[in-house]
Amino acid sequence: MVPGVAVRADRLDDAGYAAAAGRLFASVTAENDMKWQFTEPEPGRFSFAAAERVVGFAEQRGLRVRGHPLLWHLALPAWVTGTAEQMRRHITGLVERFRGRVAEWDVVNEGLADDGTFRVTPFLRTLGPQYIAQAFRIARAADPRARLAYNDYGAESPGTPKGRALYRLVKGLKALRVPLDVVGFQTHAETRPIAGFQRQLRRVAALGVDVELTEVDVKLPAKATPADLRAQATAYRRIVRACVAVARCRGITFWGLDDRDSWIGEFFPRYGNALLLDAELRPKPAYEAVRQELLAAGAP
Ligand code: XIL
């Protein structure tokens, strides 16, 4: 199983950051630098400088790259109305640019709403639910060797509306022979156990896809106590074990290297401390727990 990390291009100049990211992980995802507003800010005008920095960093160190994301309802320029032409140009622009260099793409990110219906996005409004299948076909044509993923959050439990909707979606796409190789479970978690997580990974994988944990973090209160940090280590341990227990669970990517950069503090007031390294890049109890579990599983 491949351990990975989300990185930010603008942090790669920091030698300590770059060394830690390159040393501890075998895969990287651009946390933001491949998003639509940065890669195609105006119709047909692509800008790849930041994305190239992330991919170049990975290439220097022999790391796998997960491309993230081709279609998402956020970080979208205002001019995107979701036409087939816009979708084709964007997907083809990115996938061809990085052909042979990005091993796996999140083709559609967060296409489901929390109640299990399709999320209302410009693509859904303009093209209907079939935009999902279309996006995968366009991506496959642009790089037949890249592995293609559907990625979402909050679908980690089998019994919730969104957990069930994800299962139905994947089943439907496979029945239509859509080129879908991987289902990514973001796994933005809290310290309490995720109900039925392993079962959900297994039953989705049984539909004929690999599964990965793609954006793992475990949020704590902003003022974390030693007990919080221990509970977090236990939570991380459970998450890694769930993946290790499922043969087709191929990777675990953590959503950032250290607590200084994590999106959690920015998006969830009063929370923080969500990652494996603290703000000074020192390993936390969670780091030790994850390392032990990965070693026991024979991960690189
Ligand atoms: C987040 C980044 O971590 C933040 O820096 C940014 O401001 C917003 O996006 N699901 C996803 C990720 O698929 O792309 C999001 O990343 C977190 C939730």
Side-chain angles (χ1 to χ4, degrees):
M1 176 207 322
V2 187
V5 64
V7 297
R8 304 182 174 204
D10 62 8
R11 288 288 318 271
L12 291 171
D13 284 334
D14 175 336
Y17 177 95
R23 190 173 64 240
L24 302 174
F25 300 99
S27 171
V28 296
T29 305
E31 184 174 350
N32 291 304
D33 298 303
M34 290 185 180
K35 290 174 181 175
W36 193 316
Q37 72 178 115
F38 305 115
T39 51
E40 192 190 0
E42 286 159 43
R45 188 173 69 75
F46 288 92
S47 78
F48 290 122
E52 280 289 354
R53 296 207 49 208
V54 173
V55 175
F57 166 79
E59 285 173 337
Q60 272 169 20
R61 289 169 174 75
L63 312 174
R64 176 188 76 152
V65 180
R66 297 196 76 253
H68 168 84
L70 296 173
L71 296 188
W72 192 34
H73 62 291
L74 296 178
L76 211 52
W79 56 265
V80 177
T81 52
T83 64
E85 184 46 36
Q86 289 168 356
M87 181 169 88
R88 176 176 302 281
R89 184 176 57 202
H90 187 71
I91 294 175
T92 307
L94 267 78
V95 176
E96 284 188 346
R97 169 78 185 210
F98 294 107
R99 180 158 41 204
R101 302 165 70 202
V102 165
E104 178 169 313
W105 283 102
D106 287 332
V107 177
V108 175
N109 190 36
E110 303 182 352
L112 294 169
D114 293 349
D115 66 1
T117 59
F118 287 106
R119 183 186 293 280
V120 179
T121 70
F123 313 104
L124 185 84
R125 270 193 232 106
T126 306
L127 302 169
Q130 52 112 17
Y131 86 85
I132 296 179
Q134 247 176 285
F136 278 91
R137 294 198 167 107
I138 295 166
R140 181 66 101 218
D143 183 355
R145 301 250 270 262
R147 288 157 50 80
L148 304 181
Y150 175 84
N151 194 52
D152 216 326
Y153 70 86
E156 287 88 8
S157 292
T160 63
K162 192 159 175 180
R164 284 196 293 269
L166 176 76
Y167 183 85
R168 279 196 309 271
L169 173 64
V170 173
K171 193 171 180 182
L173 293 172
K174 293 307 277 186
L176 289 170
R177 301 195 155 285
V178 170
L180 167 67
D181 307 302
V182 179
V183 172
F185 292 83
Q186 292 184 10
T187 324
H188 294 292
E190 299 182 20
T191 51
R192 73 177 122 79
I194 303 168
F197 189 27
Q198 190 176 309
R199 189 152 52 85
Q200 177 75 337
L201 296 178
R202 187 164 282 132
R203 75 181 193 131
V204 171
L207 295 171
V209 291
D210 285 338
V211 294
E212 285 194 36
L213 315 188
T214 52
E215 303 186 12
V216 179
D217 50 25
V218 176
K219 61 163 114 46
L220 291 181
K223 292 209 174 72
T225 63
D228 288 330
L229 293 171
R230 286 195 298 276
Q232 181 182 52
T234 303
Y236 267 109
R237 194 184 284 283
R238 277 194 302 259
I239 288 169
V240 176
R241 280 188 182 163
C243 181
V244 167
V246 175
R248 293 197 76 169
C249 189
R250 310 280 191 201
I252 302 187
T253 292
F254 302 94
W255 203 240
L257 180 64
D258 64 90
D259 287 341
R260 186 178 128 188
D261 277 340
S262 167
W263 73 304
I264 291 294
E266 175 190 338
F267 279 77
F268 301 91
R270 295 189 300 281
Y271 286 92
N273 304 299
L275 292 169
L276 303 180
L277 305 182
D278 72 13
E280 277 77 49
L281 299 177
R282 287 180 306 230
K284 295 160 61 186
Y287 174 84
E288 262 320 304
V290 166
R291 204 179 66 93
Q292 284 169 10
E293 294 301 323
L294 290 176
L295 282 175

